[in-house]
Amino acid sequence: MRKFEDSLPLQLLRAREATMLFFRPLLHDNSLTEQQWRILRALYNYKELESKELAKRCCILSPSLTGILKRLAQQGYIQRRKCHEDQRRALISLTDKAYDLFERLSPEVEAAYAAFINRYSEEKLEELMSMLKELSELEP
Amino acid sequence: MRKFEDSLPLQLLRAREATMLFFRPLLHDNSLTEQQWRILRALYNYKELESKELAKRCCILSPSLTGILKRLAQQGYIQRRKCHEDQRRALISLTDKAYDLFERLSPEVEAAYAAFINRYSEEKLEELMSMLKELSELEP
DNA sequence: TAAAAGTAATTAATGTATTAACAAAGATGG
DNA sequence: CCATCTTTGTTAATACATTAATTACTTTTA
């Protein structure tokens, strides 16, 4: 059995934790969880997504997403409409309030990203992102 | 604002999900969660750890660890003793039952790891691990 | 040495993850 | 057409994540 620290899942987790140290305070100061921010980002990029697609893009399972969307809706950040062609599907989009929040926060998030790159390295980041992308497309 | 998919935290998450697809079924078949397995691995490697050290190594916050250890103890997989020098500290270790489980499972886990490497690449894995290790030591 | 400050671990409250089971709308084959 | 199967989304139950607050014990400091 390989040594404890030589586990890829563990190192991915640690790397993510180290990265999130740059962003977590910012999200916390604005009463947003990581998942909520992921969803805001996804919806800002894609305007409108159906629940299943949103879940896959954000790496959130459907049952989790149900609850997260319910809370986001209560706070007035998202709206949903039923798809006419297929009554099962729900189409999710951001409210104006969410757009405002997003555009207020994104400069700060970008600044944190810049601080991260300054501390790490633009080249290493590109290299790492490319390796991660390839890995994430792997199937058992 | 950078494109949604160009977020490092997201790519780290996706990469981890893709990796866990190789291991999750195995753990699930043995009624173990990821966190429980991480703790078993850590304790197998280090024989005995105090709670705080265990939490840091496993990337688990103390309040979460409290619950996880309680359940592991109920199932008879761990034992704890108080530190004599400092009565606040708890020293955790595996029971014989846990050692048996671990030694029964570890060949299968290693086989899954081999399948992963076969599907990915030994060299890429080494490269990636090295980059992740550097990243995880980064501080804001 | 008694009070203050600090640390390890837990509890509490809320939010998310995971699996299984389920309801409802749609696709499919007889 | 209708029974069946599939898919989307939800609910339920349990486990874990996160922050704040507490408890019990140590160390510092006045």
Side-chain angles (χ1 to χ4, degrees):
Chain A
M1 190 72 181
R2 84 189 52 232
K3 196 165 182 311
F4 175 63
E5 271 77 14
D6 291 344
S7 154
L8 177 58
L10 178 65
Q11 287 302 336
L12 286 166
L13 193 56
R14 287 187 177 172
R16 189 166 198 281
E17 281 308 302
T19 306
M20 287 311 298
L21 289 181
F22 288 80
F23 302 99
R24 229 190 287 276
L26 194 51
L27 298 181
H28 185 242
D29 288 349
N30 290 276
S31 302
L32 287 171
T33 66
E34 291 181 37
Q35 291 83 347
Q36 291 174 334
W37 182 246
R38 276 215 299 294
I39 289 173
L40 293 187
R41 287 201 59 182
L43 290 177
Y44 188 87
N45 264 247
Y46 295 102
K47 309 304 177 196
E48 189 175 57
L49 286 172
E50 56 184 81
S51 178
K52 190 190 177 189
E53 183 73 7
L54 182 59
K56 199 170 70 174
R57 290 196 184 277
C58 293
C59 270
I60 293 175
L61 295 178
S62 291
S64 297
L65 189 60
T66 297
I68 299 173
L69 290 182
K70 192 193 308 178
R71 283 179 286 274
L72 281 175
Q74 279 170 355
Q75 298 176 257
Y77 288 134
I78 63 150
Q79 52 205 356
R80 48 204 318 165
R81 64 183 185 86
K82 284 220 165 190
C83 178
H84 287 303
E85 303 82 63
D86 187 340
Q87 289 293 96
R88 292 169 303 183
R89 291 177 161 79
L91 295 168
I92 322 288
S93 59
L94 296 182
T95 60
D96 292 345
K97 179 180 175 188
Y99 275 100
D100 290 347
L101 172 67
F102 189 90
E103 278 159 10
R104 184 170 62 73
L105 266 182
S106 51
E108 297 186 56
V109 173
E110 278 304 293
Y113 214 99
F116 168 80
I117 289 174
N118 186 47
R119 195 80 183 61
Y120 190 53
S121 147
E122 180 76 51
E123 296 74 38
K124 285 183 194 166
L125 176 59
E126 290 310 316
E127 166 81 11
L128 178 57
M129 286 289 278
S130 143
M131 298 192 74
L132 291 174
K133 201 162 286 188
E134 182 183 352
L135 172 53
S136 66
E137 283 159 6
L138 206 62
E139 285 172 38
Chain B
M1 189 74 179
R2 82 191 54 235
K3 199 168 183 308
F4 175 64
E5 272 76 14
D6 292 343
S7 154
L8 178 57
L10 178 66
Q11 288 303 336
L12 286 166
L13 193 57
R14 287 187 176 170
R16 189 166 198 280
E17 280 309 301
T19 305
M20 286 311 297
L21 289 181
F22 287 81
F23 301 99
R24 231 191 286 274
L26 194 51
L27 298 180
H28 185 242
D29 289 348
N30 289 277
S31 302
L32 286 171
T33 67
E34 290 181 37
Q35 292 83 345
Q36 290 175 334
W37 182 245
R38 274 215 300 294
I39 289 173
L40 293 186
R41 286 201 62 183
L43 290 176
Y44 188 87
N45 265 247
Y46 295 101
K47 310 305 178 197
E48 188 175 56
L49 287 172
E50 56 185 78
S51 179
K52 190 190 176 189
E53 182 73 9
L54 182 59
K56 199 170 71 175
R57 289 194 184 279
C58 292
C59 271
I60 293 175
L61 296 177
S62 292
S64 298
L65 189 60
T66 297
I68 301 174
L69 289 181
K70 192 194 305 177
R71 285 179 285 274
L72 282 175
Q74 280 170 354
Q75 298 175 260
Y77 287 135
I78 62 150
Q79 52 205 354
R80 50 203 317 163
R81 65 184 185 85
K82 285 220 163 188
C83 178
H84 285 303
E85 303 82 63
D86 187 339
Q87 289 292 97
R88 292 170 303 183
R89 291 179 160 79
L91 295 167
I92 322 287
S93 58
L94 296 182
T95 60
D96 291 345
K97 179 180 174 188
Y99 275 100
D100 290 347
L101 171 67
F102 189 90
E103 279 159 8
R104 183 169 63 72
L105 267 183
S106 51
E108 297 185 58
V109 174
E110 278 304 294
Y113 214 100
F116 168 80
I117 289 175
N118 186 48
R119 194 79 182 61
Y120 190 53
S121 148
E122 179 76 50
E123 296 74 37
K124 285 183 194 165
L125 175 59
E126 290 310 316
E127 168 81 12
L128 178 57
M129 286 289 279
S130 142
M131 297 192 75
L132 291 174
K133 200 161 288 187
E134 183 183 353
L135 173 52
S136 66
E137 283 160 6
L138 206 63
E139 285 171 39

